[in-house]
């Protein structure tokens, strides 16, 4: 169970089926994250890519705040179906585009078809190997995914530390941290 923090569906509780193995971003961490995002961006005009979308906690939060262009990518067909049905139920189906697939393959093959995103968010499984985290960071920053002044936000366990030349900052909220990365401009 999670809730939408703000926007037109503020306070709406979303219950996923019990057999889903997901870990939605906590309300506390999500509030902090969106405070940072709204301070840096005009959220309504963002183009957002939500990788490892799970049951759509982040995608639906953006949609509730009037973001018009959201792409959610997840491998699990049940998760994609849940995001789709929930988006339709809440009237967000024109804002959220769901793409089922392996995130690494999706980014490698540039399934975005040349579309650039102002904000890329990824919430991979916390037990993912450090080398896979590093691969994901490099893929997002080096493939044709992130807009020139865009930001890549990676959610991870706080004990996981990153040293990367494109790392802007890391914000810690209990056992959850968000690391912010940007493309280096020439």
């Amino acid at each position: 169970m999670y809730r939408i923090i703000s926007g037109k569906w503020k306070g709406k509780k979303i219950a996923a089926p019990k057999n889903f193995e997901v870990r939605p971003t906590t309300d506390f961490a999500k509030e902090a994250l969106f405070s940072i995002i709204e301070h840096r961006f005009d959220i309504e005009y963002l183009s957002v890519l939500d990788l490892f979308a799970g049951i759509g906690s982040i995608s639906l939060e953006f949609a509730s705040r009037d973001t018009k262009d959201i792409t959610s990518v997840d491998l699990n067909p049940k998760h994609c179906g849940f995001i789709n049905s929930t988006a339709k139920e809440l009237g967000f189906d024109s804002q959220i585009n769901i793409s089922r697939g392996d995130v690494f393959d999706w980014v490698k093959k540039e399934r975005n078809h040349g579309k650039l995103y102002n904000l890329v968010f990824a919430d991979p499984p916390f037990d993912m190997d450090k080398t896979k985290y590093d691969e994901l960071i490099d893929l997002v920053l080096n493939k044709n995914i992130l807009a020139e002044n865009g930001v890549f936000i990676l959610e991870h366990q706080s004990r996981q530390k990153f040293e990367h030349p494109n790392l802007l900052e890391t914000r810690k909220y209990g056992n959850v941290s968000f690391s912010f990365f940007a493309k280096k401009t020439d």
Side-chain angles (χ1 to χ4, degrees):
M1 170 93 61
Y2 67 90
R3 70 183 175 99
I4 295 177
I5 303 298
S6 189
K8 63 178 92 165
W9 281 98
K10 179 180 181 175
K12 172 74 173 162
K13 292 183 179 176
I14 311 286
K18 298 216 183 295
N19 62 342
F20 279 23
E21 293 183 28
V22 294
R23 176 198 35 78
T25 304
T26 65
D27 287 357
F28 171 66
K30 195 163 40 171
E31 283 184 47
L33 173 66
F34 276 86
S35 176
I36 294 166
I37 292 169
E38 288 181 320
H39 182 73
R40 294 181 183 188
F41 296 99
D42 188 348
I43 201 164
E44 186 178 342
Y45 299 104
L46 285 178
S47 180
V48 175
L49 176 61
D50 183 5
L51 301 173
F52 301 96
I55 57 174
S57 172
I58 297 297
S59 293
L60 293 170
E61 191 69 44
F62 273 110
S64 182
R65 295 165 189 248
D66 285 331
T67 304
K68 306 284 188 269
D69 183 13
I70 305 155
T71 301
S72 305
V73 180
D74 199 272
L75 181 59
N76 189 315
K78 291 178 183 174
H79 295 173
C80 293
F82 182 80
I83 296 169
N84 190 42
S85 64
T86 305
K88 281 183 181 167
E89 175 188 324
L90 301 178
F92 298 149
D93 45 326
S94 67
Q95 294 165 257
I96 300 175
N97 175 40
I98 296 112
S99 183
R100 189 176 93 65
D102 177 83
V103 165
F104 291 92
D105 288 342
W106 197 93
V107 175
K108 282 178 193 171
K109 295 176 181 175
E110 296 183 11
R111 295 234 166 96
N112 57 321
H113 305 292
K115 178 179 183 162
L116 299 178
Y117 298 93
N118 309 108
L119 191 144
V120 176
F121 179 84
D123 182 8
F126 273 8
D127 61 355
M128 189 167 79
D129 188 73
K130 173 82 164 73
T131 58
K132 295 299 281 182
Y133 273 106
D134 293 336
E135 179 185 352
L136 179 63
I137 294 165
D138 287 337
L139 277 172
V140 170
L141 295 176
N142 295 319
K143 285 293 188 176
N144 193 26
I145 297 283
L146 194 60
E148 186 177 325
N149 293 316
V151 174
F152 171 44
I153 304 171
L154 178 62
E155 182 174 343
H156 56 90
Q157 284 185 340
S158 293
R159 70 173 186 252
Q160 182 77 264
K161 307 291 185 216
F162 297 100
E163 290 186 24
H164 193 281
N166 298 63
L167 178 65
L168 301 172
E169 66 177 312
T170 298
R171 300 276 187 104
K172 180 181 175 188
Y173 303 96
N175 71 335
V176 171
S177 288
F178 300 107
S179 290
F180 294 75
F181 300 86
K183 274 188 168 182
K184 295 288 186 213
T185 53
D186 297 328

